[in-house]
Amino acid sequence: MYTQICSGSVYGVEGRMIAVEVDISSGLPQVNVVGLPDPAVRESVERVRAAVKNCGFAFPMERITVNLAPADLRKEGTAFDLAIAAGVLAASGQLRSELFQDFLVLGELALNGELRAVPGVLAMVEQAKQRGISKVLLPRGNASEAACIEGMELFAASHLRELGDPKSDRQSWEALRYDPADDAERHARTDAAFSGSAPGHGDFGDVLGQHHAKRALLIAAAGSHNVLLAGPPGTGKTMLAKRLPGIMPPLREEEALQVTKIYSAAGKLPGGIPSLMRERQFRSPHHTISAAGLIGGGSIPRPGEVTLAHRGVLFLDELPEFSRAALEVLRQPLEDREVTIARSRAVFRFPASFLLAASMNPCPCGYYGHDSDDQRCVCSEIQIARYRAKISGPLLDRIDMHIEVPRPLASEGLTSGMTTPEMRALVLLAVRRRSERRSGSRELGELAGASLRRAVEMTKAADDLLRKAFDSLGVSLRAHDRILKLARTIADLDGQDRVDQEHVAEAIGYRSLDRKLHTL
């Protein structure tokens, strides 16, 4: 007796279809799971056995072989439990095998037969749709998440017993058909819980002074430029960075789907959501994070912080306190906007197009160059040089804007300046101008070299100034291109079609810190 049921797994952040084949034959009662299962998959045998018995079904006392195909891919997780149980029941004649035809079956089983939600459902359902599978049987806790993929027929169950009565000749799953409209009240509660769990961005109007830093963050948000805030403690660096997602443009439909899929694969969606994630994410890992935690890793790699910050903000507070190994792994995603992790059996690619925001003190004690009557720097030149050398030149070269955030003075007038809604409106205008001007499918941030220079129209005065700065300041070609992109964003904020001299001058002014950090 043989049956095959389609299930799924997540590799990286993409779904893969896995065929669960079950064969029952004469022999000593035992269950063998083959096809490179990990311990969680092998242990599913005991969960399935207990769940089948506790739901009134009979677990076959024969030789059972479960194969997970393709057999050369390692399988992990608990999403195969329901498919294995369904395969055993269908192969033993307790459920009709035609019930599972053209179905994707996902779910984890409790010992009493309850169905528990599993991570990565969004990616697996999307892959099933691409493979021509139109029906999905899954736990009710994952139903609202799967409903984000249009055109799929969903059947949601809470218990294994709901799959059918083995004593009945008529078996149908019409009662399990899921309609998102029927879950409006639960969706509202989930949506409120999700909104409450997202970090509050706050208002830039709460930050007094620091108008120069606010202007820089306005430019960073409009063009997704990386930014480093440097200054003594208590000047508002973290406050400014936390408010950055609030002025960034909303996610497009395909971006929202990709971000939601990442959080689904990472198991970080709060109990399923009624719609795609529309908020720009703000990730702020502690400085003790490992390189693998930042970039992603594992035997089957999982998303790291750079991928969880995709299309959002990755904030590294006290940048020099991070380990050198953790910082250096940022170089590839900052350049390529994706992470590539190679394993012996496969190569995994994770999207990692994020805005890097970082902060640092000028020295270990924090007061070098910002002495006051009650606070003076006590660090030696060697300590300062060692502290600043933790940030390598190649990494600093990939940060577009280096902003000094000094201690504000009451004599200069501590006004709040622009608020978040006002800044967001300016950003949206700049983004609209850029999209109207853009030709082709590639965005400005993805261009480099000759293609970038052809895409940015400059006045002669601006071109001459950029050439002089390149020769006199000794910046790299990468920094040259980043200055050009920065000037283009500034021109968009000013409503100008061509990059002029003042736009280039302001962009160059934001590249001063890399020279200061290496003068000691």
Side-chain angles (χ1 to χ4, degrees):
M1 293 173 284
Y2 168 85
T3 189
Q4 177 178 315
I5 293 176
C6 181
S7 188
S9 184
V10 177
Y11 287 81
V13 294
E14 300 297 331
R16 294 290 296 269
M17 295 296 96
I18 304 296
V20 178
E21 301 175 311
V22 179
D23 177 75
I24 302 178
S25 59
S26 301
L28 293 174
Q30 61 177 341
V31 182
N32 295 320
V33 181
V34 297
L36 288 181
D38 77 338
V41 179
R42 286 195 295 269
E43 291 170 356
S44 66
V45 172
E46 301 307 320
R47 292 192 295 272
V48 169
R49 190 194 308 273
V52 165
K53 290 181 177 180
N54 290 329
C55 291
F57 297 99
F59 194 85
M61 298 302 291
E62 297 174 273
R63 181 183 179 88
I64 302 174
T65 302
V66 179
N67 179 45
L68 307 177
D72 60 339
L73 289 179
R74 186 165 183 81
K75 321 302 187 304
E76 69 171 5
T78 58
F80 304 110
D81 287 8
L82 182 58
I84 294 174
V88 170
L89 295 177
S92 61
Q94 300 178 72
L95 289 179
R96 293 191 292 114
S97 59
E98 55 266 26
L99 281 174
F100 302 95
Q101 188 173 358
D102 298 327
F103 263 87
L104 172 69
V105 180
L106 304 169
E108 176 186 340
L109 280 172
L111 298 184
N112 63 354
E114 290 182 1
L115 287 177
R116 293 171 175 163
V118 294
V121 163
L122 191 63
M124 291 184 276
V125 173
E126 182 187 42
Q127 180 66 18
K129 182 180 180 180
Q130 294 175 2
R131 292 290 188 91
I133 299 174
S134 60
K135 301 176 182 178
V136 184
L137 174 63
L138 76 173
R140 182 162 292 278
N142 287 125
S144 59
E145 176 186 346
C148 294
I149 304 297
E150 297 180 355
M152 299 297 288
E153 216 175 334
L154 303 181
F155 295 82
S158 301
H159 204 281
L160 180 64
R161 196 180 294 114
E162 297 177 18
L163 267 61
D165 185 353
K167 300 177 182 179
S168 175
D169 294 332
R170 301 181 61 186
Q171 295 176 350
S172 173
W173 293 348
E174 287 303 313
L176 303 180
R177 192 180 296 274
Y178 177 80
D179 185 358
D182 294 339
D183 260 353
E185 182 179 351
R186 188 177 65 85
H187 281 174
R189 292 197 303 267
T190 304
D191 193 31
F194 175 71
S195 300
S197 64
H201 300 316
D203 195 316
F204 273 100
D206 299 334
V207 183
L208 300 179
Q210 306 299 2
H211 303 299
H212 174 66
K214 290 181 181 180
R215 164 71 176 174
L217 293 181
L218 176 68
I219 297 168
S224 193
H225 299 289
N226 303 321
V227 59
L228 172 62
L229 303 172
T235 56
K237 301 187 294 296
T238 302
M239 284 184 65
L240 289 164
K242 285 184 176 180
R243 284 154 175 75
L244 187 54
I247 62 174
M248 296 176 71
L251 292 171
R252 300 192 300 269
E253 189 72 19
E254 63 274 13
E255 293 175 338
L257 176 60
Q258 193 172 37
V259 171
T260 309
K261 191 162 64 172
I262 289 169
Y263 275 76
S264 172
K268 294 185 179 295
L269 286 180
I273 56 173
S275 62
L276 299 178
M277 295 172 65
R278 304 288 180 179
E279 291 285 330
R280 300 271 181 176
Q281 296 302 300
F282 182 86
R283 304 294 300 183
S284 181
H286 192 260
H287 65 260
T288 57
I289 189 171
S290 65
L294 195 59
I295 210 74
S299 57
I300 297 180
R302 293 298 186 192
E305 288 292 329
V306 297
T307 301
L308 295 173
H310 182 62
R311 302 298 180 185
V313 176
L314 177 66
F315 178 53
L316 303 183
D317 199 8
E318 298 299 335
L319 187 65
E321 299 298 333
F322 285 78
S323 70
R324 184 67 176 258
L327 291 180
E328 290 306 304
V329 297
L330 291 174
R331 288 161 62 173
Q332 185 216 356
L334 286 174
E335 197 70 24
D336 300 337
R337 298 174 182 268
E338 70 172 9
V339 174
T340 303
I341 300 177
R343 292 292 182 264
S344 59
R345 294 182 178 272
V347 175
F348 299 84
R349 288 182 172 86
F350 298 90
S353 180
F354 57 91
L355 190 160
L356 175 64
S359 69
M360 63 173 291
N361 293 327
C363 67
C365 78
Y367 296 100
Y368 177 76
H370 300 273
D371 292 337
S372 62
D373 294 337
D374 55 341
Q375 294 285 355
R376 293 191 176 277
C377 178
V378 296
C379 303
S380 66
E381 289 190 1
I382 294 178
Q383 288 176 313
I384 298 173
R386 187 181 298 116
Y387 177 77
R388 295 180 173 182
K390 293 181 180 180
I391 307 174
S392 68
L395 177 61
L396 194 64
D397 208 33
R398 288 167 167 81
I399 300 178
D400 306 80
M401 310 174 72
H402 313 145
I403 313 303
E404 294 193 58
V405 188
R407 183 185 293 107
L409 300 176
S411 59
E412 298 175 356
L414 297 180
T415 58
S416 60
M418 286 192 296
T419 62
T420 289
E422 294 170 341
M423 295 173 71
R424 183 181 174 88
L426 293 175
V427 168
L428 293 178
L429 282 175
V431 171
R432 188 177 301 119
R433 292 189 188 101
R434 184 170 66 244
S435 62
E436 292 172 353
R437 186 186 63 254
R438 185 175 51 141
S439 59
S441 59
R442 299 181 67 187
E443 294 193 13
L444 183 67
E446 301 172 353
L447 300 177
S451 59
L452 172 64
R453 290 186 283 275
R454 286 194 299 268
V456 178
E457 187 179 355
M458 304 175 67
T459 64
K460 186 179 184 305
D463 186 55
D464 291 342
L465 178 59
L466 184 57
R467 291 175 183 271
K468 291 178 181 178
F470 180 74
D471 293 335
S472 61
L473 299 179
V475 296
S476 66
L477 288 173
R478 181 187 292 111
H480 172 277
D481 287 352
R482 290 184 179 272
I483 290 173
L484 190 55
K485 294 176 186 178
L486 200 55
R488 179 63 267 177
T489 301
I490 296 171
D492 285 333
L493 284 169
D494 290 347
Q496 301 295 320
D497 293 330
R498 302 176 70 190
V499 174
D500 212 341
Q501 187 175 8
E502 62 268 19
H503 304 139
V504 175
E506 184 176 358
I508 293 172
Y510 292 125
R511 296 291 307 188
S512 61
L513 192 58
D514 52 354
R515 297 190 303 277
K516 293 182 180 179
L517 284 176
H518 296 90
T519 55
L520 291 176

